[in-house]
Amino acid sequence: MGEKNQSSATIDDELLLKNFFAEVSEVERDNEVLRILSCFKLNPFEYLNLSFDSSIDDVKKQYRKLSLMVHPDKCKHPQAKEAFGALAKAQQLLLDQNERDYLLSQVNSAKEELRAKRKKQLKKDTASKIKSLVEEGKYDKQYEQSDEFQQELKVKVRELLTEQEWRRRKMQMRISEEEGRLKRDEEEQKEMWKRKREHEEEWEGTREQRVSSWRDFMKGGKKNKKGEIRPPKLKTEDPNKSYVQRPVKRG
């Protein structure tokens, strides 16, 4: 019985969806394309036009509805394909648990900042402070459900997501710079070893020539060259025993 009711509900949803798109005009499709393309790029909730407390089922239903509305086969807008792709990416992010948890953590941080800001304002407004205390939190809850608060929350979430993205990019930039430096160091090290190896190969290649030159030097090293001056000899008749240099006889 339960399965039958569920199947009936699904058929009703399909019928309602078909009737809805039958009534959608080309202008409405074009406007939806423009709305999607004007969304804040870091917030997939905006692309699907969903509140931050939307469930997974809400995400799937809304994606199906909007994707059919701007599908390139049904919408003649020149950027329909781009809008369709943006919706697909938004759904993918919101169905990813890690991405969803990250986004909701930023939403909670934004709420905390707005609540702290409101507390400061209430301290200055005595009437609002008394009303808040008397109603035991109902006053604050009503305010957070208001359009004013939701708009402030949307703006604050944008600020936080932008800040986090900037930090991520800076970190990525530093990582890229460090990777580039390490790569340059590695290339310089390789070049140094290459030059050293080439030098060693060149040195080894001239080994025979160096050995031969040394042998020639050793063979002819004891012969006096022409014009070479011998060490002075001591003149015994010289009372001061000074050394006198004599020219070598050439012959």
Side-chain angles (χ1 to χ4, degrees):
M1 185 69 178
E3 293 180 359
K4 185 176 180 180
N5 290 336
Q6 185 177 1
S7 176
S8 177
T10 303
I11 294 173
D12 290 341
D13 289 343
E14 292 288 338
L15 185 60
L16 288 171
L17 199 58
K18 286 181 180 179
N19 292 335
F20 169 75
F21 285 112
E23 298 173 1
V24 172
S25 66
E26 194 62 37
V27 173
E28 289 174 309
R29 292 180 186 274
D30 289 349
N31 288 339
E32 184 59 22
V33 170
L34 295 175
R35 184 199 69 78
I36 293 170
L37 296 179
S38 65
C39 287
F40 179 60
K41 296 184 182 299
L42 300 178
N43 186 358
F45 284 102
E46 286 192 31
Y47 280 105
L48 294 174
N49 201 17
L50 289 171
S51 61
F52 294 120
D53 58 355
S54 299
S55 66
I56 296 295
D57 288 338
D58 292 335
V59 171
K60 292 179 179 179
K61 288 179 181 179
Q62 185 73 346
Y63 167 73
R64 188 164 187 279
K65 176 182 175 181
L66 297 182
S67 62
L68 288 174
M69 192 172 183
V70 300
H71 195 285
D73 293 342
K74 300 181 180 297
C75 180
K76 296 180 182 179
H77 194 283
Q79 292 179 292
K81 186 176 180 180
E82 185 179 347
F84 182 78
L87 289 177
K89 183 178 180 181
Q91 180 192 226
Q92 181 183 2
L93 290 173
L94 292 178
L95 294 182
D96 183 296
Q97 192 61 48
N98 291 332
E99 289 291 341
R100 187 180 179 86
D101 289 345
Y102 165 72
L103 288 166
L104 293 179
S105 70
Q106 299 305 308
V107 172
N108 290 332
S109 296
K111 285 182 178 179
E112 291 300 322
E113 288 192 26
L114 293 177
R115 285 165 183 163
K117 178 182 176 182
R118 180 165 173 75
K119 283 182 180 181
K120 290 182 179 179
Q121 293 175 343
L122 288 176
K123 288 181 180 180
K124 298 178 181 179
D125 186 352
T126 306
S128 297
K129 183 178 180 180
I130 294 172
K131 186 177 180 180
S132 177
L133 292 172
V134 170
E135 295 185 2
E136 298 180 351
K138 292 181 181 179
Y139 181 67
D140 291 335
K141 188 175 182 180
Q142 288 174 356
Y143 174 72
E144 291 186 10
Q145 292 175 345
S146 67
D147 292 339
E148 180 185 354
F149 179 82
Q150 292 301 319
Q151 184 59 33
E152 288 182 355
L153 179 61
K154 184 177 179 180
V155 173
K156 179 56 67 173
V157 169
R158 284 186 177 188
E159 291 177 4
L160 295 181
L161 289 175
T162 301
E163 183 180 345
Q164 291 297 325
E165 178 65 12
W166 172 241
R167 289 179 179 176
R168 186 191 67 79
R169 292 188 182 186
K170 283 182 68 176
M171 181 61 67
Q172 187 61 44
M173 192 183 303
R174 290 177 182 175
I175 292 173
S176 298
E177 289 175 353
E178 182 63 15
E179 288 176 347
R181 186 188 67 79
L182 292 174
K183 186 176 181 180
R184 288 193 298 272
D185 290 346
E186 183 180 356
E187 290 175 352
E188 290 175 1
Q189 191 74 8
K190 287 181 179 179
E191 185 64 26
M192 183 187 72
W193 283 109
K194 180 182 177 182
R195 289 196 301 267
K196 183 178 179 181
R197 186 169 59 254
E198 290 175 349
H199 176 72
E200 290 175 349
E201 291 174 354
E202 183 180 350
W203 176 260
E204 186 64 25
T206 59
R207 183 174 180 276
E208 292 298 327
Q209 181 182 351
R210 287 183 283 106
V211 170
S212 178
S213 299
W214 176 254
R215 287 172 180 168
D216 292 342
F217 171 76
M218 293 301 292
K219 287 179 181 179
K222 295 180 180 179
K223 296 180 179 180
N224 294 325
K225 297 180 180 179
K226 293 182 179 181
E228 184 179 358
I229 299 175
R230 292 180 178 178
K233 293 184 178 181
L234 180 64
K235 285 185 67 178
T236 54
E237 66 274 13
D238 187 351
N240 296 324
K241 298 182 179 181
S242 60
Y243 290 91
V244 178
Q245 182 174 303
R246 297 178 180 180
V248 178
K249 292 182 180 181
R250 300 179 181 179

